[in-house]
């Protein structure tokens, strides 16, 4: 088994598209209206509000009953930050400065951990409050 795609639930697809395009330094490969955006590194943005608007308002040609039942069971606030996304870069200080200058989200100070090896990183918060960890060579 291999990991296919990691979907990140977003509440504002336009704001999140801008954030992740700047963060990942790439345009999406594919976008399906305002519902879903796929980047090349197996990260996709999913706008649940899109499905909320169309479920029950048109024939169920897009969704089967099992999807609708599961969807309705999980309506509400997404439980973000149950997973922390870790991105690796070649130059941590350079990436920190690039993201600070882009002003796309709240950025922490550099953090250092040395439990089994020296490890430097910083966090940035996306528009939905997800914590993204950025790590790499720190000199």
């Amino acid at each position: 088994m291999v990991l296919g795609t990691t979907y990140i639930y977003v509440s504002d697809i336009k704001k999140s598209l801008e954030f992740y395009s700047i963060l990942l330094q790439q345009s999406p490969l594919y976008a399906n209206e305002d519902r879903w955006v796929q980047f090349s590194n197996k990260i996709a943005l999913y706008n649940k509000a899109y499905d909320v608007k169309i479920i029950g308002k048109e024939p169920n040609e897009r969704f089967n009953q099992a999807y609708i039942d599961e969807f309705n069971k999980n309506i509400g606030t997404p439980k973000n930050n149950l997973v922390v996304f870790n991105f690796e870069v070649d130059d941590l200080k350079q990436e920190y400065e690039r993201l600070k200058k882009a002003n796309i989200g709240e950025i922490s100070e550099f953090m250092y951990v040395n439990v089994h090896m020296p490890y430097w990183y910083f966090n940035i918060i996306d528009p939905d409050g997800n914590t993204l960890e950025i790590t790499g060579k720190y000199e």
Side-chain angles (χ1 to χ4, degrees):
M1 182 183 313
V2 297
L3 179 63
T5 298
T6 301
Y7 294 96
I8 301 171
Y9 286 110
V10 301
S11 60
D12 184 327
I13 194 79
K14 289 178 180 34
K15 187 183 282 187
S16 293
L17 175 58
E18 180 181 4
F19 175 90
Y20 281 96
S21 294
I22 292 169
L23 177 75
L24 301 172
Q25 295 180 284
Q26 60 182 263
S27 296
L29 292 175
Y30 180 78
N32 177 340
E33 300 178 32
D34 286 338
R35 183 178 193 260
W36 176 65
V37 176
Q38 177 72 49
F39 289 96
S40 65
N41 58 359
K42 299 190 176 189
I43 297 269
L45 309 178
Y46 167 59
N47 181 17
K48 197 170 190 174
Y50 183 93
D51 290 1
V52 168
K53 285 192 292 189
I54 62 175
I55 288 178
K57 294 182 177 60
E58 61 179 53
N60 290 334
E61 296 168 359
R62 296 187 191 202
F63 311 105
N64 72 0
Q65 193 59 48
Y67 178 86
I68 293 169
D69 292 346
E70 187 68 20
F71 182 86
N72 287 330
K73 185 169 56 173
N74 291 316
I75 293 249
T77 306
K79 293 166 181 60
N80 290 342
N81 281 327
L82 296 177
V83 174
V84 173
F85 298 98
N86 172 275
F87 294 93
E88 295 182 14
V89 296
D90 292 330
D91 185 327
L92 190 61
K93 289 181 181 177
Q94 182 179 8
E95 185 65 9
Y96 185 85
E97 291 305 319
R98 183 184 77 81
L99 293 174
K100 275 285 214 192
K101 184 184 278 185
N103 197 29
I104 60 170
E106 178 186 332
I107 299 178
S108 73
E109 298 297 320
F110 286 106
M111 292 178 260
Y112 175 76
V113 176
N114 190 357
V115 175
H116 73 277
M117 63 180 240
Y119 186 79
W120 285 93
Y121 72 100
F122 65 89
N123 292 329
I124 185 167
I125 308 300
D126 82 357
D128 286 286
N130 293 303
T131 299
L132 309 172
E133 181 179 286
I134 315 295
T135 189
K137 193 172 185 179
Y138 181 89
E139 291 187 25

